[in-house]
Amino acid sequence: MEAKSTVHSGEKLHTCFVCGQGFSLSSNLEGHKCSHTGEKLCKCGDCGKCFNYPSQLETHRRIHTGERPFTCSDCGMGFAQLSNLLAHQRVHTGERLFLCSECGKGFIQSSNLLAHQRVHTGERLFLCAECGKGFTRLSNLLTHQRVHTGERPFLCSVCGMGFTQLSSLLRHQQIHTGERPFTCSECGKGFIRSSHLLTHQRVHK
């Protein structure tokens, strides 16, 4: 009962004799002491990885069990950590906490902002081992590498033609569906690609 009351009152009765930091619970102090000694008290029985706190071990063990106790109320997607769920929920709310100081563009996750900022700095961390071309994002490098490997993972279910990018497959499928989303405002003629529409519009000039 005493431990609970100190948590709610904010009292920090347990003090680290090394750095003077205070803790409400003695268990938190014990975990903190490991940061000075290098000792890790909690060991994972599956992979042997060690942690300072039982809570850290519990979160880690979800990697092995596949447990995802934090569920999104909008789409039902599950997450191993609460922080991941909170970040995901911004997809539904549209909240963009991370703003680019250069152009003001907002992002749901800090990692997306960091990747975007390379557009302004020109930094290209991800280099192709084949040709040396640099990319601001790992995903762009992986897509590019298909030029060298010949891999075409996106297959058309109608004719079996393969594509290096999903966007290319979706564009191709319009040939089969007859969909022509790009319409000329002058004559109403439809086109599969925006580039075809731009070429056509020169007829009216």
Side-chain angles (χ1 to χ4, degrees):
M1 183 67 79
E2 186 185 353
K4 283 185 182 177
S5 64
T6 58
V7 169
H8 296 298
S9 68
E11 260 187 293
K12 300 194 175 184
L13 302 177
H14 309 281
T15 306
C16 173
F17 67 89
V18 178
C19 65
Q21 189 172 341
F23 297 89
S24 303
L25 298 173
S26 59
S27 58
N28 289 347
L29 171 60
E30 289 306 311
H32 165 78
K33 283 179 183 176
C34 299
S35 65
H36 298 300
T37 64
E39 181 189 4
K40 298 203 181 247
L41 301 175
C42 307
K43 187 175 182 179
C44 175
D46 290 298
C47 66
K49 194 169 182 181
C50 296
F51 300 88
N52 289 341
Y53 298 96
S55 59
Q56 291 173 331
L57 173 60
E58 184 184 350
T59 299
H60 161 79
R61 290 210 67 249
R62 292 177 191 144
I63 294 170
H64 304 297
T65 63
E67 184 191 4
R68 293 174 177 269
F70 303 102
T71 306
C72 176
S73 57
D74 286 297
C75 66
M77 195 170 176
F79 298 88
Q81 296 185 51
L82 177 60
S83 58
N84 293 344
L85 168 61
L86 294 174
H88 160 80
Q89 284 175 327
R90 294 184 199 126
V91 171
H92 301 298
T93 62
E95 186 183 11
R96 295 175 180 269
L97 296 179
F98 305 98
L99 301 177
C100 175
S101 57
E102 290 286 330
C103 65
K105 190 173 181 181
F107 298 88
I108 291 168
Q109 296 186 342
S110 60
S111 57
N112 293 343
L113 170 60
L114 291 172
H116 161 80
Q117 285 174 328
R118 294 183 195 125
V119 172
H120 301 298
T121 63
E123 186 184 11
R124 295 177 178 269
L125 296 179
F126 305 101
L127 300 177
C128 175
E130 290 287 330
C131 66
K133 191 172 181 182
F135 298 88
T136 56
R137 293 174 184 255
L138 176 60
S139 58
N140 293 345
L141 169 60
L142 295 174
T143 299
H144 161 80
Q145 285 174 328
R146 293 176 190 144
V147 172
H148 304 297
T149 63
E151 183 191 6
R152 293 177 175 268
F154 302 102
L155 301 177
C156 175
S157 58
V158 178
C159 67
M161 194 170 176
F163 299 86
T164 57
Q165 296 184 57
L166 177 59
S167 57
S168 301
L169 169 60
L170 295 174
R171 231 183 2 249
H172 160 81
Q173 285 175 328
Q174 290 164 358
I175 294 169
H176 301 300
T177 61
E179 185 187 2
R180 294 176 177 269
F182 303 101
T183 307
C184 176
S185 57
E186 291 287 331
C187 66
K189 191 172 181 181
F191 298 88
I192 292 170
R193 297 188 185 187
S194 59
S195 58
H196 294 170
L197 170 59
L198 291 172
T199 302
H200 160 79
Q201 284 174 328
R202 294 184 193 128
V203 172
H204 299 297
K205 289 181 181 177

